[in-house]
Amino acid sequence: MSDVIQQDTPATTFRFNTRAALTHAVLIVGALIVLLPFYTMISLSLKAPHEIMQQTGGFMGSQQPFRDDFCVKLGNAVEDCLVNPIIYNYTTAFEKAPLLRYLLNGVIVTVSIFVIQVFVALPCAYALAKLRFWGREAVFALVLFCLLIPVHAIALPLYIMLAKLGLTNTYAALVIPWTISVFGIFLMRQFFMTVPDDLIDAARMDGMTEYGIIWRVMLPTAIPALMAFGIFSIVAHWNDYFWPRIVITGNRDLFTPPLGLREFKGDADGDNFGPMMATACIIVTPLIVCFLLAQRRFIEGITLSGMK
Amino acid sequence: MPSNLIETHLLGGGSVANIALRDIEKKFGETPVLNRVSLTIRNGEFVTLVGPSGCGKSTLLRIMAGLEAADRGQVLIDGRDVSDVRPAERNLAMVFQSYALYPHLSVAENMMTPLRMRDLSSVERLPILGPLLSRKRHHAMRLQADTIADTLKISQLMDRKPGQLSGGQRQRVALGRAMVRNPVAFLMDEPLSNLDAALRVHMRAELSELHRRLKTTFVYVTHDQAEALTMSDRMAVMMHGDILQVGAPDEIYANPDTLEVARFIGSPSINVVPGEADSSGKIDVMGVSVPATTAGVRQAVMVGLRPEHLSLHAAGRLSGIVRHRENLGADIFLHLEVQGTQNPLVLRAAPNEASRIGLGEAVAFDFDPTDMIVFAADGTRLRASTPAREVA
Amino acid sequence: MGSQRAHLWFIGPALILMVIILLIPIVIAMGLSLTDYSLGNQGAAFVGLENYERIFTRSTYEKMFVATFRYVFVVVPLTVGLGLGAALLIHSLGRIGDLYKTIYFLPVMAALIAMAIVWEFAFHPTIGVINSTLERGCGSFLEAWHWYAKGCARTFPLWLNDREYAIWTVSFIGVWQGFGFNMVLYLAGLTSIPAQLYDAAEMDGATRGWDRFRLVTWPLLGPTTVFVVTISFIRSFQVFDMVEAFYPQGGGPSKSVYVMMFAIYEKGIQQNLMGIGAAITVVFLGFVMVLTLIQRRLVERRTHYV
């Protein structure tokens, strides 16, 4: 019996290491490019105007108090107008425009949209998945057809319709076009079809109404899909710029966060990069934080939307 | 625990060992999967690696194929050390449990893939350009595939995609893809597990027939001991990363080396009852004293008796109560509760004997002492040739 | 039984909303496209196919198509290719790859308008980090590259305000934002490829990475690819945020970034020319629907049951 001890092929281990090293190298370069704007955004939101213009101060900025010229113009003494960059940037962001209000609008709009979407889509999905009725195939065909229609594409006629009803510059205008989510109907129907019929029959025998079945039997089984759908919806509508731009024309109080940022930019003269970046940070952070906390769900959601 | 260094030597003949595994060790992380396993496979024989799930048989097969590398040990093919050689260059072919057919290629293309990979360069393999550049070779390959499809009776399926085939058909295509390379040996990883019972029995016969025809080495992995018994020239019983015994099916069935092997092989399972051997070579079992063929040492033993070794006998020394009856048509198995034993004993009876016996009845039965398969308390087989051992 | 009618209540709201919000507007758009309507007018005059004629002849609209197609045909291949590449690399790393996955997905989560503004700053000719980094390379071996030398001598390009560069810069930002999404989809596709196929490929002699990719990976990513490409097409056709933020009036230096969605916005909302806005909408919808239908057809054909 031979006593030769054979190691793992040196050639393959060596090959493995260079390949992994190369992979990491490429990915790191990519990561740097991807992260560049985030780095810039955060960094600039921490800096004083002169540091921004001259590109000094490293990442954090030197955090030296600087002279706020605007405040001097208003007639205050120079000593009172020395402000710390971070504080200046972020307070200006909140003061120059009602950013808190915008954020609130964002929450109101995205939550309303999602809740209404659920109330519209779930019963429809249930009916298409589990109930037999005349015209079911036709309705489903209609759903499939509507999947082809991106709502942004029909913004113009929708705007006209809303204008005619006098609904421009209202929360209703922001929410209504999104209340029907054919994607949501489709997704939930797929899930509902996997629920065993016996479960539903048992519920019926127990005297549950059809409506009750939807919320007490079907919904619990589809929580993962629902969460994925929710994430998809909230991200899309929190970040939506196009539709609010069209439909909110005069009333600043109804601005959603993207609109708020855009307005900031519109007003901005060269000196306001700091607060503008601070605003951008504030708008972008909520979703990023949620993403980092619940990564798996987010990615599941995107993936689910693809697996059809 | 039995010794791990079991290597069977050839009985007669002088043919070169086709595949040899020496001292193969493998760990997944901290878990040992193979503990210094060695095996020699003769040219042209049908060897089965059989054992329960997790015993390491699939890993061993994959190491043979080159899909996994052993932590230690060597793989030799026809005397050449191939431990460093890539799978394709070992000239082995593998049939997978899930068939692993390329779903986007037709049956013909699936079967030609090994040939294309081996004989054509990258350029010649490009989709449209390729066939134009090497028409002749392409034709030759197609011819080869067609010939093999003929023998496997799948010629009419050549243009279909795997998704359009039944399980049995896919299995044949997988076989065809393996055969087309003219390999030195076929490695099969539980190829019949995904088929339904009737088809499985049919395919067993077909595979055996194929082996006889091709006369190539087959290395077959399964957890089904019936498959191993019916198909192999030799079988290696594996458990917990060790090969417990290698031998012809008859040999392993009648002459198991350990209690574990005895229990694993044979259906219904062998009956095992405790007994007491005394220094004169007699064994006390189930209240009966029988002469034994083992060396006379006083010790506690485990006595194995297969269901067919027990027979109904009006004047039998033992009696039991029928607790369960299995009527398989040609055989009836009675599960008997016998005093002094924990588990019921299974007895095989002929239909005409046992058809009148019902549940709850007491029956008398007996056995021939020479049928006993005796094991020491630690599971090792005690034979007449086993040297005397002192038991503490 | 009350439940006989229950389904009507269930599908009712959805049906009504589908008709009102999705279907009727299409009809309205088609109708309006044949008129010269403006919001606020009492009526509208029927002008036949005049709007469409304008779209397919006038140079402004020619620029619209050019800008849109340039954007789409740069962004789609790059986001799909980079998404696939990133997915393959990350997939080969195992657990460590999760970090890269997170990083590459961040742009998808961040509001495009916000990140676009940041990019605009980064691309700023004088105080932007891109040009200042390029400037640091001046006087080194990089000047051997003619373009680089020219930049050092005069200035580096005005990325977003130069007719030659604007559309490509905007495309770059689009790729930056979108490839993470495709990467995630491809990662899901990769994990669903059965490992035994790679074993079979190895046994058959597909030893090199390229061979394995061609024999197993790419074919089995078929449906994923079709989906990714379609989604990318539809998303990139709808580009708007950046264009409006960078060029609130006019669609870029000599309209080189005058994409379709912006044209709809400009004509329909800003200039209140609903007729032509509707016509562009109809053409746009046509593109999108045709693309999606092609996708559906392709998926049916390319889905292979393993």
Side-chain angles (χ1 to χ4, degrees):
Chain A
M1 193 88 47
S2 160
D3 276 17
V4 172
I5 293 172
Q6 204 77 5
Q7 297 293 347
D8 233 29
T9 339
T12 41
T13 4
F14 184 59
R15 218 186 302 144
F16 170 73
N17 280 336
T18 20
R19 167 137 357 135
L22 228 84
T23 307
H24 276 284
V26 171
L27 285 175
I28 287 177
V29 170
L32 289 176
I33 299 179
V34 166
L35 289 176
L36 172 64
F38 291 102
Y39 174 89
T40 310
M41 181 174 74
I42 299 177
S43 170
L44 291 185
S45 74
L46 302 173
K47 286 188 180 174
H50 64 90
E51 286 177 317
I52 295 177
M53 290 305 176
Q54 291 152 21
Q55 300 176 73
T56 55
F59 177 66
M60 291 277 291
S62 58
Q63 295 306 320
Q64 298 266 349
F66 70 98
R67 199 183 65 183
D68 180 1
D69 286 330
F70 190 64
C71 136
V72 173
K73 262 192 227 154
L74 286 177
N76 297 316
V78 174
E79 306 86 57
D80 289 339
C81 286
L82 285 173
V83 281
N84 177 282
I86 299 182
I87 299 185
Y88 173 70
N89 286 338
Y90 279 88
T91 45
T92 313
F94 278 101
E95 284 167 10
K96 196 138 197 286
L99 191 54
L100 231 54
R101 172 90 207 191
Y102 298 163
L103 290 172
L104 183 65
N105 287 340
V107 172
I108 293 177
V109 167
T110 48
V111 170
S112 313
I113 290 178
F114 179 57
V115 168
I116 300 181
Q117 281 178 334
V118 169
F119 272 95
V120 169
L122 239 57
C124 186
Y126 171 66
L128 287 175
K130 291 296 182 188
L131 299 181
R132 264 171 209 71
F133 55 91
W134 179 84
R136 187 172 83 160
E137 296 308 306
V139 173
F140 188 57
L142 187 63
V143 168
L144 288 179
F145 179 74
C146 287
L147 271 174
L148 298 173
I149 308 173
V151 177
H152 277 165
I154 45 176
L156 218 51
L158 277 174
Y159 171 67
I160 296 178
M161 287 161 73
L162 285 168
K164 287 291 184 193
L165 289 170
L167 284 174
T168 50
N169 287 300
T170 60
Y171 282 120
L174 285 170
V175 168
I176 288 181
W178 309 105
T179 51
I180 178 69
S181 168
V182 244
F183 168 65
I185 296 179
F186 193 89
L187 188 66
M188 302 315 313
R189 174 183 175 272
Q190 302 291 85
F191 256 71
F192 286 169
M193 278 172 32
T194 63
V195 175
D197 287 345
D198 298 340
L199 198 57
I200 301 169
D201 287 336
R204 284 194 189 123
M205 301 278 285
D206 286 343
M208 224 187 259
T209 61
E210 292 297 310
Y211 196 70
I213 291 178
I214 295 180
W215 303 109
R216 303 229 215 109
V217 176
M218 309 300 287
L219 179 56
T221 62
I223 294 269
L226 201 65
M227 278 192 65
F229 172 51
I231 286 164
F232 205 61
S233 170
I234 290 179
V235 169
H237 295 118
W238 177 272
N239 291 342
D240 188 13
Y241 173 66
F242 181 60
W243 178 250
R245 186 83 169 98
I246 289 184
V247 111
I248 304 294
T249 47
N251 193 348
R252 266 159 140 248
D253 283 340
L254 287 172
F255 274 10
T256 55
L259 281 179
L261 177 62
R262 175 71 179 90
E263 177 206 34
F264 208 114
K265 174 181 196 273
D267 294 347
D269 37 35
D271 283 345
N272 261 330
F273 281 120
M276 187 163 73
M277 291 298 156
T279 313
C281 277
I282 295 171
I283 291 175
V284 159
T285 302
L287 288 186
I288 302 255
V289 165
C290 291
F291 169 60
L292 291 175
L293 290 177
Q295 264 182 70
R296 203 149 290 166
R297 288 279 179 224
F298 272 73
I299 298 199
E300 236 172 59
I302 307 298
T303 315
L304 269 172
S305 73
M307 293 324 186
K308 274 173 286 159
Chain B
M1 279 306 272
S3 159
N4 295 339
L5 300 177
I6 297 175
E7 183 180 38
T8 31
H9 289 281
L10 313 164
L11 304 164
S15 36
V16 175
N18 190 203
I19 301 180
L21 298 167
R22 294 216 195 129
D23 299 331
I24 302 284
E25 283 180 44
K26 179 77 180 171
K27 274 198 195 153
F28 285 135
E30 282 310 306
T31 329
V33 173
L34 293 170
N35 310 319
R36 291 201 85 183
V37 171
S38 297
L39 183 65
T40 311
I41 300 171
R42 217 180 333 159
N43 211 335
E45 70 174 343
F46 194 122
V47 170
T48 305
L49 302 175
V50 61
S53 302
C55 67
K57 52 194 194 295
S58 284
T59 312
L60 196 62
L61 193 74
R62 290 170 67 87
I63 290 178
M64 225 185 279
L67 294 172
E68 308 248 13
D71 294 336
R72 286 182 140 103
Q74 292 171 295
V75 179
L76 296 112
I77 298 183
D78 287 335
R80 187 175 68 122
D81 185 345
V82 296
S83 315
D84 285 350
V85 176
R86 293 202 80 139
E89 289 161 35
R90 297 189 189 192
N91 204 11
L92 299 169
M94 190 143 166
V95 179
F96 296 88
Q97 188 174 0
S98 66
Y99 320 124
L101 298 175
Y102 305 113
H104 59 290
L105 298 178
S106 70
V107 167
E109 286 165 343
N110 258 285
M111 288 175 63
M112 291 197 292
T113 302
L115 299 173
R116 295 177 78 227
M117 285 294 153
R118 189 181 62 192
D119 298 336
L120 298 180
S121 70
S122 280
V123 176
E124 290 166 322
R125 272 186 260 130
L126 289 175
I128 307 170
L129 211 53
L132 290 175
L133 286 177
S134 51
R135 281 196 101 92
K136 251 200 273 183
R137 275 196 275 179
H138 202 79
H139 271 302
M141 289 183 197
R142 180 63 199 245
L143 206 60
Q144 225 176 322
D146 283 333
T147 321
I148 294 189
D150 248 347
T151 48
L152 291 171
K153 303 201 188 54
I154 48 174
S155 304
Q156 74 280 20
L157 303 173
M158 285 305 251
D159 291 323
R160 297 217 203 142
K161 296 248 169 72
Q164 301 165 292
L165 305 176
S166 72
Q169 291 170 326
R170 282 188 219 173
Q171 220 246 1
R172 277 184 239 217
V173 176
L175 267 174
R177 184 176 63 180
M179 283 165 66
V180 93
R181 315 180 43 151
N182 254 323
V184 161
F186 288 89
L187 307 178
M188 305 200 182
D189 193 350
E190 309 212 39
L192 303 183
S193 304
N194 286 354
L195 302 175
D196 63 61
L199 195 53
R200 219 181 297 162
V201 173
H202 175 78
M203 288 306 294
R204 268 195 239 158
E206 282 214 19
L207 278 178
S208 299
E209 163 76 33
L210 191 66
H211 173 246
R212 279 192 290 273
R213 196 143 33 104
L214 292 177
K215 301 191 181 53
T216 318
T217 313
F218 272 43
V219 183
Y220 190 94
V221 161
T222 180
H223 62 273
D224 184 350
Q225 48 95 38
E227 271 177 23
L229 287 173
T230 53
M231 297 167 81
S232 340
D233 292 332
R234 279 194 307 150
M235 44 193 271
V237 181
M238 287 184 71
M239 282 193 208
H240 323 301
D242 301 309
I243 294 184
L244 299 182
Q245 190 171 355
V246 185
D250 300 341
E251 182 65 18
I252 296 200
Y253 186 81
N255 220 347
D257 280 348
T258 73
L259 187 55
E260 281 178 312
V261 173
R263 278 209 159 110
F264 186 72
I265 305 290
S267 180
S269 258
I270 190 174
N271 298 300
V272 180
V273 286
E276 196 58 44
D278 67 18
S279 42
S280 65
K282 285 215 177 139
I283 296 186
D284 259 317
V285 57
M286 294 187 284
V288 171
S289 185
V290 293
T293 48
T294 55
V297 176
R298 184 177 210 88
Q299 59 184 319
V301 296
M302 308 288 282
V303 175
L305 287 160
R306 296 210 179 267
E308 63 268 24
H309 296 153
L310 304 174
S311 47
L312 294 174
H313 216 285
R317 290 170 289 180
L318 302 161
S319 79
I321 303 179
V322 178
R323 286 298 174 214
H324 184 59
R325 227 170 152 270
E326 282 178 345
N327 187 345
L328 266 66
D331 295 314
I332 297 187
F333 289 101
L334 300 173
H335 294 230
L336 305 174
E337 181 189 308
V338 176
Q339 259 221 341
T341 66
Q342 257 188 320
N343 303 320
L345 297 183
V346 181
L347 179 152
R348 188 186 73 178
N352 57 347
E353 287 181 300
S355 54
R356 282 163 277 116
I357 301 180
L359 291 177
E361 274 188 48
V363 294
F365 66 98
D366 211 328
F367 64 91
D368 182 344
T370 55
D371 284 335
M372 286 193 305
I373 311 179
V374 186
F375 301 93
D378 67 355
T380 45
R381 178 73 183 283
L382 297 173
R383 298 187 170 89
S385 54
T386 310
R389 273 170 16 153
E390 287 301 321
V391 173
Chain C
M1 275 198 345
S3 65
Q4 291 280 35
R5 298 283 194 80
H7 69 272
L8 287 177
W9 290 105
F10 295 162
I11 61 174
L15 268 181
I16 295 174
L17 286 174
M18 268 193 272
V19 169
I20 297 181
I21 294 178
L22 298 176
L23 297 177
I24 289 186
I26 297 184
V27 176
I28 293 181
M30 293 202 284
L32 276 181
S33 66
L34 303 173
T35 71
D36 64 355
Y37 181 68
S38 283
L39 197 58
N41 292 358
Q42 281 300 95
F46 182 78
V47 294
L49 293 174
E50 194 185 298
N51 288 328
Y52 290 102
E53 212 194 301
R54 272 207 214 123
I55 292 180
F56 289 110
T57 51
R58 294 269 186 90
S59 70
T60 315
Y61 300 107
E62 187 190 315
K63 292 195 178 168
M64 174 183 80
F65 283 117
V66 166
T68 310
F69 283 120
R70 272 191 184 161
Y71 182 84
V72 168
F73 284 103
V74 165
V75 168
V76 170
L78 281 178
T79 48
V80 172
L82 286 174
L84 177 60
L88 287 171
L89 289 176
I90 292 179
H91 189 73
S92 73
L93 287 180
R95 269 307 200 71
I96 330 163
D98 276 356
L99 178 62
Y100 292 111
K101 189 161 72 165
T102 308
I103 292 179
Y104 287 177
F105 198 69
L106 283 178
V108 181
M109 302 292 305
L112 182 55
I113 184 95
M115 303 319 293
I117 291 176
V118 179
W119 272 115
E120 184 180 32
F121 185 83
F123 278 117
H124 197 282
T126 42
I127 52 175
V129 67
I130 305 265
N131 275 6
S132 59
T133 315
L134 284 175
E135 246 144 57
R136 281 211 228 144
C138 274
S140 74
F141 67 97
L142 287 164
E143 292 222 20
W145 180 11
H146 175 69
W147 175 86
Y148 207 96
K150 196 159 62 132
C152 281
R154 304 209 228 125
T155 50
F156 281 102
L158 275 59
W159 301 100
L160 285 170
N161 287 311
D162 186 326
R163 192 177 38 176
E164 301 293 311
Y165 289 94
I167 182 69
W168 311 119
T169 312
V170 171
S171 303
F172 167 77
I173 303 177
V175 171
W176 172 88
Q177 203 257 352
F179 86 97
F181 188 80
N182 294 345
M183 172 198 72
V184 164
L185 290 176
Y186 268 125
L187 276 171
L190 283 173
T191 47
S192 69
I193 299 180
Q196 284 204 336
L197 273 180
Y198 285 112
D199 287 339
E202 182 77 43
M203 296 299 298
D204 285 342
T207 46
R208 289 181 310 204
W210 172 246
D211 286 331
R212 281 201 300 273
F213 181 76
R214 272 206 62 221
L215 185 61
V216 179
T217 314
W218 180 248
L220 270 99
L221 283 178
T224 313
T225 301
V226 173
F227 181 74
V228 163
V229 168
T230 311
I231 286 285
S232 300
F233 260 112
I234 296 178
R235 290 179 62 182
S236 59
F237 260 111
Q238 293 181 44
V239 59
F240 174 82
D241 297 15
M242 289 186 279
V243 177
E244 201 277 339
F246 297 158
Y247 317 108
Q249 311 295 336
S254 51
K255 282 203 159 52
S256 61
V257 197
Y258 190 60
V259 293
M260 277 176 100
M261 283 299 257
F262 183 78
I264 294 176
Y265 175 74
E266 190 199 52
K267 294 291 168 203
I269 309 287
Q270 279 183 343
Q271 296 174 6
N272 202 2
L273 296 171
M274 292 295 178
I276 200 144
I280 307 177
T281 301
V282 170
V283 173
F284 183 88
L285 271 173
F287 281 135
V288 168
M289 287 200 185
V290 164
L291 272 174
T292 320
L293 285 174
I294 294 179
Q295 177 229 357
R296 293 232 185 122
R297 198 57 59 81
L298 281 178
V299 167
E300 274 158 32
R301 260 205 293 149
R302 286 171 123 260
T303 312
H304 303 290
Y305 301 101
V306 180

